[in-house]
Amino acid sequence: MAKVDFRILNREQVSDLIPAGAELVDIVARGLQAHAQGKVVLPPKAHVDLDDRFNGHLNILVGWAEPAGLSGVKVISDYVDNYKLGLPSEVAMLTLYDPKTGVPVAIIDATDITTWRTGAVTTIGARHLAPSGSKILGHIGARGTAFANIALMARQFDLEEVRIHSKRSETRELLAKRVREELKIKAVAVDSTEAAVRDADIVVEATRLEKPEILIRDAWLKPDCLLVCYGWKMAVDPATVLTASKVVVDDWRQCCVGGQLHELIVQGKLTRDMLHAEIGEIVDGSRAGREEGDGRIVFWHRGFAISDIMVGRAVIDRAQARGVGTSFTLFDGPDE
């Protein structure tokens, strides 16, 4: 039997190895394009619901991405009260496998991979769907992915102002301070959702609600804004979705099993025929992005394993090149 080597990377190591900026966005975009071209295998994510017991749940994301040459399984937790213990609300691990043999290649912390690939997908959506020359970003939610959204969109747009609202004042204040200090952009923490989203060119909903609550009213949104949403519970006005010029998702099959707008699907109000496209089709060029005359556009992304696998590939390639992480022989000898 051939020798099989295996690599383990912790969170600090992974954080240092994740590609940044345009390189990261390009890697994630190639995964979205592969999705549109049928060069992936992507079953809908599984969900272990523990919300009634521990105010949290687990998502299991699996897939194969041809451009990465890897299969992967990511388990990510999402626990509302983790901040009380000094823990991130989302903690993730990613295992990667050789798809030709099924042999495991690596196990790596994917907490920051999740954060940055989410920001990349948000940014890719905005690149194709936001109004030209967008200047004002309204961001609802201040958890880990929030800064990634803002930082990567700041590279795409000449943002003049970022308005941030979240349930806890301390989180929105800290995020606004970080944006000002690290990105050198005007950022204000506001005490209402309305104050954050009124007249914004791009609105991002990244909440973690414990139960559905309409936080973003249709009447508050600009006629031609982009609304990006990916929170688990419904937080956006159904009227915005149902009257949008275009509704775009990342993967329709996954949308049919849960997430932000799932209730509209259950009710028969949002159907596959009503979608303009999956975002990979727009990246691929087979479907148009924003066009002249478009009004509000809604982009709902649930996140999927392909993005994790694409970024995971880049991380382990860099780790191998730099000799980072713990590498050991998983097995070496004849099959018994």
Side-chain angles (χ1 to χ4, degrees):
M1 177 178 288
K3 179 181 178 182
V4 174
D5 291 323
F6 186 76
R7 187 174 297 271
I8 298 176
L9 298 169
N10 64 27
R11 185 178 182 184
E12 182 178 1
Q13 292 164 335
V14 171
S15 181
D16 289 339
L17 295 166
I18 295 175
E23 183 182 2
L24 172 68
V25 173
D26 181 63
I27 289 168
V28 174
R30 284 192 278 115
L32 297 175
Q33 185 175 26
H35 178 255
Q37 296 173 347
K39 296 179 180 178
V40 307
V41 174
L42 183 68
K45 66 177 71 172
H47 185 68
V48 181
D49 189 350
L50 301 172
D51 287 317
D52 291 342
R53 295 169 173 83
F54 306 112
N55 209 10
H57 56 257
L58 301 173
N59 288 319
I60 300 95
L61 293 73
V62 301
W64 164 74
E66 182 180 288
L70 291 170
S71 299
V73 178
K74 185 179 82 169
V75 180
I76 179 166
S77 60
D78 191 347
Y79 281 69
V80 173
D81 299 321
N82 269 11
Y83 75 93
K84 298 175 183 178
L85 303 174
L87 295 171
S89 60
E90 296 179 307
V91 179
M93 295 296 292
L94 173 66
T95 52
L96 297 167
Y97 304 83
D98 182 338
K100 300 181 183 69
T101 63
V103 170
V105 172
I107 180 168
I108 64 179
D109 187 286
T111 305
D112 293 325
I113 287 177
T114 302
T115 293
W116 286 101
R117 65 82 154 146
T118 300
V121 174
T122 298
T123 298
I124 292 163
R127 173 192 291 172
H128 292 281
L129 302 171
S132 176
S134 292
K135 299 288 186 182
I136 299 175
L137 169 62
H139 202 287
I140 310 304
R143 298 194 302 157
T145 55
F147 182 77
N149 287 332
I150 297 167
L152 292 175
M153 279 198 285
R155 300 179 63 92
Q156 184 69 43
F157 299 94
D158 185 18
L159 296 178
E160 293 180 352
E161 183 178 32
V162 179
R163 305 173 189 156
I164 301 162
H165 177 69
S166 65
K167 183 177 180 180
R168 293 187 290 130
S169 60
E170 62 269 28
T171 62
R172 59 182 184 254
E173 293 286 355
L174 283 172
L175 179 58
K177 182 174 184 288
R178 185 180 180 187
V179 170
R180 291 192 298 268
E181 292 180 349
E182 296 188 28
L183 304 180
K184 311 304 180 186
I185 297 172
K186 178 183 177 182
V188 292
V190 296
D191 60 7
S192 72
T193 302
E194 182 178 0
V197 307
R198 268 201 184 274
D199 299 321
D201 301 301
I202 302 170
V203 173
V204 178
E205 178 278 323
T207 63
R208 175 57 170 95
L209 298 179
E210 297 175 53
K211 60 182 180 179
E213 179 184 358
I214 305 306
L215 298 177
I216 302 173
R217 295 290 174 185
D218 183 70
W220 301 339
L221 298 176
K222 284 182 69 173
D224 64 344
C225 74
L226 169 66
L227 171 62
V228 182
C229 55
Y230 63 85
W232 176 245
K233 299 290 187 180
M234 186 84 167
V236 305
D237 195 330
T240 303
V241 181
L242 301 178
T243 62
S245 293
K246 291 184 170 92
V247 177
V248 177
V249 301
D250 55 358
D251 181 81
W252 176 249
R253 288 181 66 206
Q254 295 203 113
C255 293
C256 289
V257 297
Q260 173 71 223
L261 306 181
H262 181 248
E263 185 59 29
L264 295 180
I265 298 174
V266 172
Q267 295 170 359
K269 295 179 180 179
L270 179 62
T271 66
R272 182 67 178 87
D273 291 342
M274 294 171 61
L275 290 187
H276 171 67
E278 293 178 329
I279 188 62
E281 296 173 304
I282 296 174
V283 173
D284 181 53
S286 56
R287 299 287 289 171
R290 177 174 285 273
E291 299 172 284
E292 186 176 354
D294 278 340
R296 291 177 189 148
I297 293 179
V298 174
F299 174 38
W300 172 27
H301 63 93
R302 287 207 59 206
F304 52 43
I306 304 308
S307 299
D308 299 303
I309 295 166
M310 292 294 294
V311 179
R313 167 93 269 177
V315 166
I316 63 169
D317 283 349
R318 289 181 170 201
Q320 290 167 350
R322 301 176 190 179
V324 176
T326 302
S327 180
F328 63 92
T329 300
L330 194 63
F331 50 82
D332 183 11
D335 191 11
E336 297 180 354

